[in-house]
């Protein structure tokens, strides 16, 4: 019934697949609404709210330290993909250049096209989170969020904003698009924090 693209995890991968998830070898595209078309030429990334306002051009962002990442990817619609390989910039490396206000406790991710998703600051500032511009050695395809997306491996992938263009730091929790529309506030896959009802 799952068909040939989705399968139950093998025993050796079992401990890497959260409850209720199925492995896929492809990389499905999950986008709400139209994909925006974004070119690196006039791309801008802005930080504002409970932080000193700052903007980055594409060249400035690419001048940040570059790292390689291998991470598992879990969509709340029950597909998981293991060992996705990315290149990009660690969140902690970007954040060395951002002056946070002491009252910043939450962050809203903003995107070209209008999508938003929110995170508590501790979930955002984790060492393993990154902004990706390369997927399996190729420029990140537009449908997967190119030129730049965020990846937050420890939470369901709706937190991994595609076409990200801004971070709004907040002194309280505010809900992003899916969080307002029935998804869980936090979205931890191992606890199956899928929906808020
Ligand atoms: N801007 C934007 N980012 C987004 C989404 C979206 O609709 N718009 N969908 C989210 C969801 S629900 C998932 S599962 C992942 C899917 O990423 P993919 O399309 O690269 O597989 O992106 C997340 N980031
Ligand atoms: Mo998703």
């Amino acid at each position: 019934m799952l068909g040939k693209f989705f399968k139950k995890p093998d025993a050796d991968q079992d401990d890497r697949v959260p409850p209720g998830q199925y492995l896929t070898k492809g990389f499905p595209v999950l986008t709400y609404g139209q994909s925006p078309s974004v070119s690196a030429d006039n791309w801008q990334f802005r930080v504002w709210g409970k932080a000193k306002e700052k903007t980055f051009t594409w060249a400035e962002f690419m001048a940040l330290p570059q790292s390689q990442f291998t991470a598992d990817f879990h969509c709340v619609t029950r597909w998981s993909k293991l060992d996705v390989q990315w290149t990009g910039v660690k969140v902690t490396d970007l954040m060395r250049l951002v002056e946070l206000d002491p009252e910043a406790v939450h962050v809203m991710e903003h995107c070209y096209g209008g999508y938003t998703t929110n995170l508590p600051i501790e979930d955002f500032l984790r060492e393993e989170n990154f902004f990706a511009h390369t997927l399996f050695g190729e420029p990140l395809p537009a449908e997967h969020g190119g030129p730049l997306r965020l990846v937050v491996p420890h939470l369901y992938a709706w937190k991994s904003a595609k076409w990200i263009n801004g971070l709004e730091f907040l002194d309280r929790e505010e809900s992003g698009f899916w969080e307002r529309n029935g998804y869980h506030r936090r979205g931890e896959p191992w606890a199956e924090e899928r929906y808020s009802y």
Side-chain angles (χ1 to χ4, degrees):
M1 182 215 138
L2 287 162
K4 62 177 178 173
F5 295 110
F6 296 92
K7 61 185 193 76
K8 287 206 187 264
D10 297 336
D12 60 326
Q13 296 177 323
D14 219 20
D15 59 345
R16 294 177 56 193
V17 182
Q21 296 292 111
Y22 294 90
L23 286 182
T24 176
K25 285 218 182 332
F27 197 172
V29 170
L30 251 282
T31 302
Y32 183 84
Q34 292 282 109
S35 298
S37 144
V38 184
S39 96
D41 300 338
N42 45 17
W43 184 91
Q44 268 217 337
F45 187 93
R46 184 162 80 102
V47 171
W48 78 99
K50 300 294 173 192
K52 188 164 175 208
E53 178 152 354
K54 195 172 170 75
T55 58
F56 295 82
T57 63
W58 184 255
E60 287 165 342
F61 208 99
M62 291 307 114
L64 295 169
Q66 301 291 316
S67 310
Q68 316 257 40
F69 308 89
T70 300
D72 299 344
F73 197 91
H74 308 296
C75 173
V76 71
T77 66
R78 297 188 183 270
W79 57 269
S80 289
K81 183 171 180 60
L82 302 184
D83 295 323
V84 186
Q85 289 173 35
W86 310 88
T87 310
V89 173
K90 290 172 87 166
V91 165
T92 50
D93 283 334
L94 173 83
M95 291 304 291
R96 274 182 241 290
L97 304 181
V98 172
E99 246 178 82
L100 279 184
D101 294 353
E103 64 267 35
V105 293
H106 221 88
V107 61
M108 186 69 74
E109 306 166 27
H110 290 265
C111 304
Y112 288 103
Y115 183 86
T116 53
T117 183
N118 64 288
L119 285 175
I121 200 119
E122 325 69 88
D123 280 318
F124 176 67
L125 294 176
R126 285 167 70 131
E127 273 297 317
E128 74 266 24
N129 297 342
F130 57 94
F131 300 92
H133 54 69
T134 297
L135 172 63
F136 292 112
E138 303 286 338
L140 180 61
E143 67 269 23
H144 285 297
L148 191 84
R149 78 177 303 164
L150 182 67
V151 179
V152 178
H154 74 289
L155 298 176
Y156 283 123
W158 86 77
K159 301 289 187 180
S160 294
K162 303 194 282 190
W163 312 290
I164 192 163
N165 71 354
L167 297 169
E168 178 187 9
F169 290 94
L170 303 165
D171 59 7
R172 65 194 165 90
E173 180 173 359
E174 281 181 29
S175 295
F177 174 73
W178 281 121
E179 293 83 5
R180 282 195 306 275
N181 286 284
Y183 283 16
H184 193 275
R185 282 167 67 184
R186 179 154 182 266
E188 213 279 284
W190 294 94
E192 284 204 73
E193 294 175 342
R194 295 176 189 275
Y195 306 108
S196 59
Y197 44 80

